[in-house]
Amino acid sequence: MAQVNAAREILRRLHDVMAGKAAAQVKLNQVVKLVAAELGSEVASIYLLRDGVLELFATQGLAQSAVHVTRLSMGQGLVGNIAARREPLALAEAKAHPDFAYRPETGEDDFHSFCGVPILRREAAIGVLAVQHREPRNYAEVEIEALQTVGMVLSELIHGAGLVDDAQAARMRAANSGPTRLNGLKLVDGLARGVAVFHQPRVVVEHTVADDVDAERVRLVDAFARMRTQIDDMMGRSEFVAGTDHHEILETYKMFAYDEGWARRINEAIETGLTAEAAVERVQSRNRLRMRSIDDPYLKERLTDLDDLANRLLRTLSGQLGTAAQLGITGDAILIARNLGPAELLEYDKRHLKGVVLEEGSLTAHVIIVARAMGVPVLGRVDQLFANVNDGDELIVDAGNNALLIRPTAATIKSYQAMRALKARQAEQWAKVRDLPAISKDGRHIALYMNAGLLDDAAAIPLAGADGIGLFRTEFQFLVSATLPRRERQQSLYRGVLEAAGDKPVVFRTVDIGGDKAVPYIDGDEEDENPAMGWRALRLALGRSGLMKVQARALLEAAAGRTLNVMFPMVSEPWEFAEARGLVEQQRERLARTGHAVPTEIQYGAMIEVPALIEQLDLLLPMTDFVSIGTNDLTQFLFAADRANPRLADRYDWLSPAILRVIRRVVCAGAEHDVPVTVCGEMGGRPLEALALIALGVERLSITPAGIGPIKAMIRSATLEPLSQAMQEWLAKPGVNIRAELSSAAKRQGLSF
Ligand code: PEP
Ligand code: MG
């Protein structure tokens, strides 16, 4: 308790200094005097960052003539060492330390022991606070902590007085931490450069000394209660079902949120006179120090979770609960998150969002599809992301090479620019074939459509060189809306898309909501433990026929006077298709009866994504005008492998016989019934996979717009017949590595990927 009292006394006196009207330099002089008195040290000094070096700004005990004269670079001397490592340093015999740098002008010959702490702002060292004692002595933990607390208050003072600006701090942070490279998994190809922006922004504590300790205590109790409720609510939500990674993280959160030790430590810090925010941060930096010295990956992971939770507590306390999207992003931003939902991603301003880096993520999760539609590269499964990236760091996302380059050196930036130039040249090559048809050397024509979901996408048809839109995911509009989009809004989107597409066809898919595309204003199934296989897509739409009727009306009205292509997602039984089609027909008849204009023709299609439907193609196909294979869902159901589970992200190969054979069955059945078959999953957007599909007989692909250039160029240089024959042989034999075989066969034809 005596320790608490000592710390409280320092803070009380600091409070008076901070509240005073004196100039910043005078306040710094008061602080060193106060620190020396409270810690009984002969010396107390403050070094601050100026022009990239640490300058002695105030001292009690060293020669006053050294103030603004003694300067140390980052990493130089004990002070530079503390700033560079952003860690405290306590020595009984300072001169024995290899980094000790003697500065005669300070007159420090007489002092043996030394203890210094970094002054931090936004995780960058902007200065150092140090004390020295004449006698060799070991510093107690409480003394170091007291200095750290003073360091926090100094940070507020320094920032408030404009002595070190944030830009300088950011430059310093970059210089301190050095370049780092982390590996991940390419989820959306591309190359991007920008500044790190945390999806859940970190709170910068601006006010450190409490005016009223009791009030701060109450604020903390209140924030803990709110945070616990939030976590309990999240645990109850269906997307966090037991057994998933999310759930595991939440379990850990919950454990810490209810951990009395953590709350007690924060309370003790408040007792010393800190605000609740500063107290959380005080305990958090202690935790971070521990994190650095621990090697055990499991413990490290738990401490990262605790760090994350401390950030959440800070946000709750300061009322800054919005995501970076809600706060607004500027410049070129690279978004950093553990994971994201598709709706969360859609909230970001496309003009500023250049890339996304996730600690989790998997290839066919809907958020990735949205990112692909937005043309934003995504790197996923980046381990230790949060431990290595700071808010504001410069980043290069090189998804193609599965790499994240943090605080790149000038040389790395140069090679990034060279890579960009190369990509631009490649894009020029693709642009040359953009308006040419995708016809192979041996005369096979492949129709290339694009996948879309936003109004802007339709305008991209000519740019992408697509034959139309093969899959318009209408649920994107629902995902970006805070409330159910009314019929007029739906209709105006569909009309806009049709107008932008001109005479090119557009296939509208009715809403595929539910699963990982839950929207708050439509009740899903709270009890759904397996949302991807649960109450979603057509099941939900048929169950809530009001929703489906409104959408049907909007589509019929938008396509009045022209052909409407409408497709239903997740059809599992032919009767579901018949019912959905009947529902649209009913609306068409109603509109016609009441004298409204209707489409000249309606083409009805079914998505083939549930294996059960493939067993009933002979019953389904006579009812349909076209079908489209959704390989994302089909793969997840065929392999019983959740498409959003990062652990399964690269477990099953799209070029495995199981998938290729199933697709072949659909293609053959389509040919038999004269029903066109398109493939519209992500698989078709990857050149080698597209080649495999074409070799199987697929003649229509609907893919990401960015894939059209490379795939068209590939088709135009390929001779398909021998590949089709080889494919039949590979599929007939056991144990063939089709990826390797196809890749070599393609290379022999001079195709490059
Ligand atoms: C699919 O499942 O492959 C598909 C195209 O639909 P979505 O990705 O929207 O589920
Ligand atoms: Mg699907």
Side-chain angles (χ1 to χ4, degrees), residues 453-721:
L454 309 167
L455 181 57
D456 296 355
D457 295 341
I461 295 180
L463 292 175
D467 293 315
I469 296 180
L471 167 65
F472 189 88
R473 290 180 164 102
T474 60
E475 64 275 7
F476 279 17
Q477 186 184 30
F478 287 65
L479 291 173
V480 292
S481 301
T483 54
L484 189 72
R486 302 175 66 86
R487 197 184 85 232
E488 294 73 23
R489 270 180 55 211
Q490 294 186 36
Q491 196 221 87
S492 119
L493 170 69
Y494 306 152
R495 181 163 291 149
V497 172
L498 286 168
E499 274 165 16
D503 53 6
K504 303 253 166 93
V506 178
V507 177
F508 288 100
R509 179 178 75 180
T510 58
V511 281
D512 183 355
I513 290 174
D516 64 344
K517 288 188 285 195
V519 288
Y521 49 83
I522 295 184
D523 291 338
D525 185 348
E526 296 291 314
E527 306 295 305
D528 216 337
E529 292 219 336
N530 231 323
M533 297 203 266
W535 194 240
R536 65 172 269 212
L538 192 60
R539 299 166 185 179
L540 185 148
L542 288 176
R544 291 193 38 153
S545 61
L547 181 88
M548 182 84 169
K549 281 181 190 157
V550 168
Q551 185 169 36
R553 280 272 306 266
L555 286 167
L556 290 161
E557 286 164 354
R562 55 184 289 170
T563 302
L564 170 66
N565 301 294
V566 59
M567 171 162 84
F568 306 114
M570 281 279 287
V571 180
S572 313
E573 290 258 41
W575 69 261
E576 291 173 334
F577 173 81
E579 197 169 315
R581 181 188 168 127
L583 206 141
V584 179
E585 278 298 308
Q586 216 178 41
Q587 293 305 310
R588 182 174 68 126
E589 280 156 23
R590 249 188 80 182
L591 280 176
R593 229 185 11 252
T594 48
H596 291 87
V598 289
T600 46
E601 185 193 10
I602 307 181
Q603 295 274 307
Y604 289 98
M607 297 258 323
I608 311 272
E609 28 189 10
V610 179
L613 192 63
I614 297 174
E615 288 297 331
Q616 305 189 65
L617 286 174
D618 55 330
L619 304 177
L620 174 86
L621 293 176
M623 291 191 252
T624 59
D625 299 306
F626 65 93
V627 291
S628 196
I629 307 177
T631 47
N632 305 334
D633 276 314
L634 183 58
T635 312
Q636 94 165 333
F637 298 134
L638 207 56
F639 279 114
D642 186 346
R643 63 194 267 186
N645 186 331
R647 279 193 220 158
L648 301 175
D650 44 13
R651 189 176 178 97
Y652 301 106
D653 190 351
W654 267 324
L655 296 187
S656 71
I659 296 175
L660 297 177
R661 281 168 172 241
V662 138
I663 293 174
R664 183 173 63 178
R665 271 181 73 187
V666 181
V667 170
C668 292
E672 219 172 279
H673 289 84
D674 207 16
V675 170
V677 176
T678 307
V679 172
C680 67
E682 304 313 298
M683 176 181 176
R686 297 159 71 103
L688 192 65
E689 279 79 351
L691 189 61
L693 291 168
I694 295 167
L696 283 174
V698 172
E699 290 180 341
R700 295 148 65 106
L701 293 175
S702 188
I703 59 181
T704 169
I708 291 184
I711 288 174
K712 195 180 272 189
M714 175 200 71
I715 294 170
R716 290 180 62 83
S717 340
T719 308
L720 296 172
E721 194 41 43

Side-chain angles (χ1 to χ4, degrees), residues 408-456:
T409 58
T412 310
I413 292 174
K414 230 175 163 173
S415 75
Y416 156 82
Q417 283 158 341
M419 257 193 301
R420 271 210 86 101
L422 187 74
K423 284 202 181 264
R425 280 203 295 281
Q426 218 166 34
E428 274 169 31
Q429 292 300 318
W430 294 331
K432 284 192 193 136
V433 298
R434 191 178 63 199
D435 300 323
L436 301 174
I439 297 184
S440 70
K441 282 194 162 152
D442 49 346
R444 265 182 67 192
H445 180 252
I446 309 296
L448 293 180
Y449 302 97
M450 60 179 247
N451 292 345
L454 309 167
L455 181 57
D456 296 355

Side-chain angles (χ1 to χ4, degrees), residues 18 121-122 156 159-160 166 203-208 277:
M18 298 285 284
R121 179 161 172 90
R122 291 179 183 266
E156 181 187 338
H159 177 71
D166 278 355
V203 171
V204 180
V205 177
E206 301 290 1
H207 189 46
T208 49
E277 284 91 342

Side-chain angles (χ1 to χ4, degrees), residues 211-258:
D211 293 322
D212 176 351
V213 168
D214 289 339
E216 296 301 320
R217 215 180 293 121
V218 172
R219 288 183 64 227
L220 182 74
V221 169
D222 191 47
F224 257 103
R226 271 183 290 148
M227 187 178 73
R228 286 169 184 160
T229 313
Q230 281 166 14
I231 293 171
D232 291 344
D233 284 354
M234 276 197 277
M235 291 198 74
R237 285 222 304 271
S238 54
E239 68 259 44
F240 298 111
V241 287
T244 62
D245 282 3
H246 269 109
H247 200 265
E248 251 174 55
I249 291 168
L250 283 177
E251 285 284 2
T252 315
Y253 277 7
K254 187 168 175 166
M255 181 185 87
F256 285 128
Y258 285 91

Side-chain angles (χ1 to χ4, degrees), residues 90-92 113-115 131-133 137-141 143-144:
L91 302 165
S113 48
F114 171 98
C115 177
V131 293
Q132 289 168 271
H133 281 82
R137 72 196 289 277
N138 291 314
Y139 290 92
E141 192 140 326
E143 291 176 304
I144 301 172

Side-chain angles (χ1 to χ4, degrees), residues 17-66:
V17 172
M18 298 285 284
K21 294 237 177 312
Q25 179 67 52
V26 176
K27 285 187 179 176
L28 292 181
N29 294 345
Q30 289 170 342
V31 172
V32 285
K33 208 171 260 166
L34 184 162
V35 169
E38 289 300 328
L39 268 81
S41 65
E42 280 81 18
V43 177
S45 314
I46 295 169
Y47 294 79
L48 294 188
L49 200 60
R50 178 182 279 182
D51 303 328
V53 290
L54 294 154
E55 181 175 307
L56 181 64
F57 258 66
T59 185
Q60 164 79 15
L62 294 183
Q64 287 304 319
S65 53

